[in-house]
Amino acid sequence: MNSHRIMSAFPPAEDQQVTLANWRQHPFSTWAFRNVRELLPTANIAHSPEPTTLSFGQRYLEDVVFAGRSGETTNFSEALRTSHTDGIVVMHRGQVVSEWYANGLAPDTPHLIFSVSKSIAGTLGGILAECSKLDPDAPVTRYIPEMERSVYGGSCTVRHLLDMSVGIRFDEDYMARDGDVINYRRSTGWEPPDAGVPSSHLRQYLQTLRPNGTPHGQTFHYVSTNTDVLGWVYERACGMSYAKILSQYLWQPMGAQHDAYITADSRGAARVAGGICATLRDLARFGEMMRNHGVSNGRQVVPAWWIDDIRRNGNAEAWSRGDLTKVFPNGNYRSKWYTIDRSQSAFAAVGIHGQWIYIDPANATVIARVSSQPLPMDLDFDHMWLRGYRAIATRLHEDA
């Protein structure tokens, strides 16, 4: 089907209609990922009244060469057009040097960023810790006593949530048609209800999760529900909704130009783990702030010590025992951010279907990319783009 025909008529033909049942499937996703607000309830994340000014200086990068998806030689221009990329912004030394949009996306259009949302949540944790709203070493139940009988009770701490080291029984299989991920998505409102399954909302569902017998802190185990619990912790710590916390403590202080928004369940609980929709330029602003040790527009928004901790710490042994070593064999994970290779400085926020914020401090480069890749996880595309990001950063550094 031609993706340009999807949702183009009023009303759309049946086979061109995006619904709750097909919105994450290609080609419907090319429309859905930039129109989430027409499909799901959302909460607004207000922008700054004084946005951080972006400067622009176009650089020719289309001929940057790197190994493609199957090992063949490709270049930046070709990769953009053959990888379901919806948009990309490249910054070097604080200046936008390349910007590209496709599939109806525009500079002022929010796009679903999936688990890049987690890195935003992890960054927010440092701000709340700095202002004594949050103790990362405290047990989860200090903030949410209702979690005592779940996997998040007992010795489970906020730090375990931040670092994905909860010993939880959960299989995060995005391609499954039943089981943990489907039940979780139903609780968030991301899946149509099933008449044969009792209805549940997100906070209710989180309380049903159980341990797998592994001690907390020992193994990196990527489970999205940990981040939703983290968002609930923030709400209890601050006494306000997650969307308002994010706007007040991060989105406005960093100088976001546009409102973002986040999906919410039937009770208003935010999908902290993967529900944020934001514009590419604001994602680039966020990445540039992280590259600059938490400073945006001359203001220290995120404490520098928190960013140092993200880049220098993390448990390499826990990572090596974890479930994403095929993605980053020598990687690490701290406060919802990936260290791509412990021997290098680059770190990243990554979401399924091809969402990235790639930050290379050594080469003063930030790359924000959004996509509607058909598969949730496609390592060939991910590794191709990782090679591409490195090649672009190298070109910019060498030509500076």
Side-chain angles (χ1 to χ4, degrees), residues 52 253-254 292 294-301:
T52 300
M254 81 168 190
N292 284 316
V295 175
S296 183
N297 206 23
R299 176 181 182 179
Q300 190 77 49
V301 178

Side-chain angles (χ1 to χ4, degrees), residues 298-314:
R299 176 181 182 179
Q300 190 77 49
V301 178
V302 184
W305 62 265
W306 188 259
I307 296 175
D308 286 339
D309 183 73
I310 287 170
R311 293 183 56 192
R312 297 173 184 171
N313 292 322

Side-chain angles (χ1 to χ4, degrees), residues 164-364:
M164 290 290 191
S165 59
V166 178
I168 184 173
R169 186 172 69 241
F170 193 100
D171 181 13
E172 188 129 341
D173 179 359
Y174 301 117
M175 302 300 289
R177 295 314 308 158
D178 56 27
D180 293 333
V181 169
I182 294 299
N183 292 334
Y184 166 52
R185 284 176 176 159
R186 283 200 187 102
S187 76
T188 68
W190 279 38
E191 286 278 333
D194 184 335
V197 178
S199 62
S200 175
H201 58 85
L202 179 57
R203 295 189 186 105
Q204 181 182 52
Y205 175 74
L206 295 174
Q207 294 176 62
T208 69
L209 299 174
R210 297 293 179 257
N212 65 359
T214 303
H216 301 310
Q218 185 178 88
T219 302
F220 172 80
H221 181 28
Y222 189 92
V223 174
S224 287
T225 61
N226 297 338
T227 312
D228 295 304
V229 175
L230 183 68
W232 191 358
V233 166
Y234 293 173
E235 290 178 327
R236 284 286 174 83
C238 297
M240 65 178 80
S241 72
Y242 183 76
K244 289 183 179 178
I245 297 167
L246 180 52
S247 177
Q248 178 176 318
Y249 286 92
L250 176 56
W251 212 243
Q252 292 191 43
M254 81 168 190
Q257 183 180 4
H258 300 101
D259 287 357
Y261 60 88
I262 188 167
T263 69
D265 76 348
S266 60
R267 303 290 181 90
R271 179 86 191 273
V272 178
I276 291 177
C277 300
T279 66
L280 258 178
R281 288 183 180 177
D282 283 337
L283 294 177
R285 284 181 172 92
F286 174 63
E288 180 66 8
M289 177 191 66
M290 296 297 289
R291 185 185 74 84
N292 284 316
H293 258 81
V295 175
S296 183
N297 206 23
R299 176 181 182 179
Q300 190 77 49
V301 178
V302 184
W305 62 265
W306 188 259
I307 296 175
D308 286 339
D309 183 73
I310 287 170
R311 293 183 56 192
R312 297 173 184 171
N313 292 322
N315 188 330
E317 291 186 4
W319 177 267
S320 68
R321 288 190 287 266
D323 38 24
L324 290 182
T325 54
K326 288 183 179 179
V327 183
F328 305 130
N330 194 40
N332 219 334
Y333 193 83
R334 184 72 165 176
S335 296
K336 309 294 181 186
W337 284 88
Y338 294 94
T339 294
I340 293 170
D341 186 322
R342 294 191 294 274
S343 67
Q344 300 175 8
S345 68
F347 62 111
V350 185
I352 58 172
H353 295 285
Q355 326 310 318
W356 280 81
I357 301 175
Y358 174 87
I359 303 168
D360 183 347
N363 290 314

Side-chain angles (χ1 to χ4, degrees), residues 86-105:
D86 296 326
I88 195 165
V89 171
V90 180
M91 296 187 71
H92 184 243
R93 296 184 176 178
Q95 188 174 62
V96 176
V97 296
S98 183
E99 188 174 33
W100 184 89
Y101 295 92
N103 298 324
L105 196 67

